[in-house]
């Protein structure tokens, strides 16, 4: 792109912060300086797990996220998930890939994602976790492949309040893809939001049953101070 074309594009389509949507300055990329400094960073990972154990699951070997699910982070993820802001997928993917490289497990064999049901994908037009995971794979140079399929359409987890309701809602809703050989592999399972961990934990159980050696969870954001 020529300098003039770049200037015209910036004039017609000024870049905005992916979280707060403020206009970015020339030296800012994706995040404004304020969000880069003040967004509620999630501090835990494979090497320093949450001491309270609130963001880990029975079948997860570790878990990490970029941020806590609050304020502008929450609003941005909801735009991505429900308002067709698919351009945010590669941006979120890059940041989550960078977080995994810093605090995630080493020697990852495979990235995969928590899939939506065929009905939800049809209605939404895309699978937001698939877009996220594929972007991460490109950044990390690690295969990002479908290892799970959702075999039962379930009500949204966001509409359920208790941990027991969420667990029951997703129990038996996922199956491993038959063609995928997971034996002995260290897998990172990607989701957009980690609330109670019921969905990710059920998916991890299925992957381990199919032969995965380890399953590590990663999400754009995690809800803070969830009760177990």
């Amino acid at each position: 792109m020529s300098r003039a074309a770049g200037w015209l594009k910036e004039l017609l389509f000024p870049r905005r912060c992916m979280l707060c949507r403020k206009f970015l300055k020339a030296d800012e990329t994706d995040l404004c300086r304020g969000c880069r400094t003040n967004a509620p960073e999630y501090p835990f990972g494979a090497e320093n797990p949450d001491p309270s154990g609130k963001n880990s699951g029975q079948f997860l070997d570790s878990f990490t996220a970029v941020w806590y699910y609050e304020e502008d982070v929450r609003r941005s993820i909801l735009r991505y998930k429900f308002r067709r802001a698919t351009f945010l997928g590669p941006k979120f993917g890059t940041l989550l890939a960078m977080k995994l490289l810093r605090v995630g497990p080493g020697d990852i064999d495979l990235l995969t994602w928590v899939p939506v049901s065929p009905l939800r994908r049809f209605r939404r037009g895309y699978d937001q976790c698939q877009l996220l995971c594929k972007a991460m794979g490109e950044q990390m140079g690690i295969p990002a492949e479908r290892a799970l399929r959702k075999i039962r359409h379930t009500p949204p987890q966001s509409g359920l309040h208790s941990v027991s309701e969420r667990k029951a809602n997703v129990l038996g809703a996922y199956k491993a893809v038959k063609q995928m050989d997971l034996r002995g592999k260290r897998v990172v399972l990607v989701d957009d939001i980690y609330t109670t961990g019921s969905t990710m934990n059920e998916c991890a159980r299925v992957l381990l049953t199919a032969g995965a050696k380890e399953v590590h969870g990663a999400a754009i954001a995690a809800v803070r101070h969830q009760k177990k």
Side-chain angles (χ1 to χ4, degrees):
M1 183 183 295
S2 68
R3 188 172 181 178
W7 176 83
L8 181 60
K9 180 180 179 182
E10 183 68 21
L11 180 66
L12 296 175
F13 307 101
R15 297 174 305 123
R16 291 177 178 265
C17 174
M18 61 186 290
L19 295 185
C20 71
R21 305 191 76 187
K22 290 180 180 177
F23 292 116
L24 293 173
K25 297 179 181 178
D27 61 342
E28 295 173 334
T29 303
D30 293 337
L31 292 167
C32 69
R33 191 167 287 106
C35 286
R36 193 172 293 276
T37 302
N38 300 319
E41 183 180 359
Y42 183 83
F44 307 112
E47 299 301 321
N48 60 327
D50 185 344
S52 71
K54 290 178 180 177
N55 287 119
S56 61
Q58 179 183 357
F59 298 105
L60 289 175
D61 288 275
S62 73
F63 173 78
T64 195
V66 181
W67 299 291
Y68 282 112
Y69 186 58
E70 298 168 356
E71 300 176 352
D72 285 330
V73 172
R74 178 180 179 275
R75 286 186 281 270
S76 185
I77 294 175
L78 291 178
R79 288 198 303 273
Y80 172 54
K81 189 170 183 176
F82 297 115
R83 300 179 187 173
R84 298 182 179 271
T86 53
F87 67 93
L88 289 171
K91 301 176 188 292
F92 284 135
T94 296
L95 291 171
L96 187 50
M98 292 171 60
K99 184 66 180 286
L100 273 173
L101 290 172
R102 290 200 314 271
V103 304
D107 300 322
I108 300 167
D109 297 305
L110 177 71
L111 299 172
T112 194
W113 61 91
V114 174
V116 298
S117 68
L119 177 59
R120 186 156 290 132
R121 180 175 180 136
F122 173 77
R123 289 174 174 173
R124 188 173 294 166
Y126 58 98
D127 183 332
Q128 76 279 357
C129 291
Q130 180 180 12
L131 297 180
L132 175 66
C133 190
K134 292 290 187 180
M136 293 170 62
E138 291 179 5
Q139 290 291 326
M140 301 175 73
I142 297 173
E145 301 178 19
R146 182 187 300 277
L148 294 165
R149 59 190 181 93
K150 194 166 188 181
I151 60 173
R152 178 166 56 83
H153 182 71
T154 58
Q157 290 286 80
S158 57
L160 305 174
H161 301 293
S162 72
V163 175
S164 60
E165 286 178 322
R166 286 171 174 261
K167 286 181 178 179
N169 190 44
V170 295
L171 184 63
Y174 300 91
K175 276 193 174 182
V177 173
K178 291 183 179 179
Q179 296 82 359
M180 176 66 63
D181 184 5
L182 296 171
R183 290 174 296 179
K185 291 186 177 180
R186 178 176 284 183
V187 179
V188 169
L189 176 63
V190 177
D191 204 352
D192 49 6
I193 307 162
Y194 185 107
T195 306
T196 64
S198 298
T199 299
M200 188 168 279
N201 199 47
E202 173 65 9
C203 288
R205 182 190 67 78
V206 173
L207 293 172
L208 290 169
T209 302
K213 178 183 177 181
E214 297 176 10
V215 179
H216 300 263
I220 304 171
V223 172
R224 195 193 298 259
H225 302 315
Q226 271 296 317
K227 296 179 180 180
K228 295 192 78 175

